[in-house]
Amino acid sequence: MARIISVFSSKGGVGKTTITANLGAILASKFQKKVTLIDCNLTSSHLALYLGIYYSPITLNKVLRGDYQISEAIYIHSSGMQVVPASLSVTELEGSDLLKLPNVISSLEPTNDFLILDSAPGLGREALASLKSSREVLLVTTPIVSSVLDIVRAQEVLREIGVKPIGIVVNMATGASYEMRKEEIEQLTGLKVIATIPYDKDVYRSTALKQPIFLLNPNNRASKELVKLAAFISGVEYSEKKSLFEKVADKFRIIGSYFS
Ligand SMILES: Nc1ncnc2c1ncn2[C@@H]1O[C@H](COP(=O)(O)OP(=O)(O)OP(=O)(O)O)[C@@H](O)[C@H]1O
Ligand SMILES: [Mg+2]
């Protein structure tokens, strides 16, 4: 049976889709897992675009409207993972029945190791539908207090739904002194910070190039944190080997953060 994981955040634009796309690509290509990513952000769907899937005539919307089976809405990415896109057309929102989502998702369980759901931001209908269709949730935040506090608030809803938090992914960290540190985030939320992904222009660039950063450059600092995240989630032992240059660069970054 597959693990069903929602990638969730209360705030928009913190990196859910970027993390979903990379996590899927790493689990499929590096850890040989059977993975299907599902774009559950129906009003602002980006997942297929981020993966260079431009032509997807059958979407999750059409499945939720009852026009097609989910098996007909699956597209294969070059990394080996499967992707279920949502429609880019607003008119296809009409008649998309979110109550059908849990059954649609669970029908993919027998043929996958991981089903990863890219959620809409916040706690509106779409995000709740994705959470209710999952058993586990990965919480994404930036290292800014307001974003972390939103996680504390969201935990109440997660408890009510009965979805289990795997932990937190801190994204877009710059190391600036005003950002919350890993230990502070863990203390405030009571959850483990699994990975801290740096703010890196190459991640932004990879989105524009329609390729997960891990596939473009597996040695990028963000890619290495994403591998650490995928290893943690799949229970694979992984220790990052840093070159001397990387160790020195880390030291400079720490020193630099005191002056920022
Ligand atoms: N670590 C990072 N460093 C630099 N840019 C990043 C990083 N992570 C994500 N981005 C960029 O930030 C933008 C927003 O990311 P993304 O679309 O993944 O966020 P999201 O949480 O899915 O947004 P939404 O809530 O709208 O669905 C994208 O252009 C992406 O390339
Ligand atoms: Mg998104």
Side-chain angles (χ1 to χ4, degrees), residues 198-220:
Y199 180 88
D200 189 322
K201 280 192 190 133
D202 281 349
V203 177
Y204 202 84
R205 206 165 59 90
S206 76
T207 306
L209 293 171
K210 316 288 179 238
Q211 275 280 23
I213 182 71
F214 168 76
L215 297 178
L216 272 186
N217 180 4
N219 292 318
N220 173 285

Side-chain angles (χ1 to χ4, degrees), residues 9-12 14 139-154 168-169 171 180 185 188-189:
S9 74
S10 297
K11 282 206 184 339
V14 299
L139 295 131
V140 182
T141 181
T142 59
I144 302 301
V145 181
S146 59
S147 185
V148 177
L149 279 174
D150 282 346
I151 287 188
V152 177
R153 272 191 283 267
I168 295 175
V169 181
N171 191 25
M180 286 185 80
I185 296 172
L188 187 63
T189 60

